[in-house]
Structures are given as structure tokens and as C-alpha cells.
Amino acid sequence: MSKTASFVLGSIFGAAAGVVAGMMLAPRPGAESRAMAADAMNDAWDSAVDTYERGARSVSDRLGDVRPGVDAKTDELRAKVDLARERMDQLRDSLSEAVSSTSAQVSDAVNTVTDRVSSMAGARQLRRRLVTGARMAGCQTVPRLLVWCARWDNVAFAVPARSAVGE
């Protein structure tokens, strides 16, 4: 016989011997022993249920104590979030207005610069024609007069006054 088979056979004989010895040496009859075991199990079960109920009540009471504080903090945070959202909406509107206003100002400035540049280009062409015509006629007064008028009207020419006469 193998070791495993002899171990299993020995375990079975040992368990049977234990049962027989337990019945022979038991101080009470089987029904009474079973009733005592059932009572012990019921007592343990009742104790576990009582412990669970006490724990559940304790947790519920503590949650009841904490809940108003949590609700107050939650309400406070919601109010702050709502206030922040309102402020963000105000800032968004303000920024949108500022961008629109600045965009209009930039557009006006671009138009003004464009108009000045185009008028300056036209003035330069007119000035060159007058200087050329004055040179052809041998007149020195017209170019000096043009330089003086340009300074008076705050129209900036790239050509300095001396070279305007010599052009």
C-alpha cells in the first residue's frame, strides 16, 4: 500500500474512533448536547446582531452630527462657485467690450494713417513736380516755400530742406 492510501485509511479509522469515544464518554445525551450547541450559536448570533446594530447607530449618529457641517460647507462652496461664474461672465463681457472698442480705435487709426500716407504721397509728388518746374525755370524761392509750408502743416517729408533746394 502507498503512503497516501495508508494515510487516508488511518484518517477514516481515527475519525470513527473519535465519534465512538465521544458518544461513549459524553456526559449528556445527544439531543441535549445539540440543544446546548444551538443555544450557544443563537447567543453568538444575537450578540453579533446587537453589535452590528450598535455600530450602525453610532455611525448614523456621527453622520448626523457631521452632515450639517458638510451641508453648510457645500452650500458655501456652491455660493462661491456661483459668484466666481458671475465674475467670469462680467469679465468676459468687459473684455469683449474692450476688444470691440479697441478694434474700432485701431481701425480708425489705420484709416487715418492710410489717409495721411496717401495724402503725403500725393504731396510729395506735387512737391517734386513744383521743384522740378522751379528748377527748370531757375527759381530758388518755390522749393524753400514748400519746405516751410511742410513744416508748418506738420507734414513730414523724407527729404531735408537743403537737399530739396538742390534736387
Side-chain angles (χ1 to χ4, degrees), residues 8-89:
V8 171
L9 189 60
S11 295
I12 292 173
F13 282 125
V19 168
V20 170
M23 287 198 222
M24 295 281 196
L25 298 174
R28 293 177 201 88
E32 191 177 329
S33 293
R34 285 191 300 273
M36 284 177 55
D39 286 341
M41 287 302 294
N42 286 336
D43 289 342
W45 180 257
D46 290 341
S47 175
V49 168
D50 289 342
T51 303
Y52 171 77
E53 289 174 353
R54 273 192 311 241
R57 254 182 285 150
S58 175
V59 168
S60 177
D61 291 343
R62 299 217 186 225
L63 283 177
D65 293 343
V66 172
R67 186 171 303 260
V70 170
D71 289 343
K73 285 292 184 184
T74 301
D75 292 342
E76 181 181 335
L77 288 175
R78 281 190 182 135
K80 287 181 180 180
V81 166
D82 290 341
L83 183 64
R85 284 183 181 152
E86 288 176 17
R87 182 68 179 135
M88 290 298 293
D89 289 341

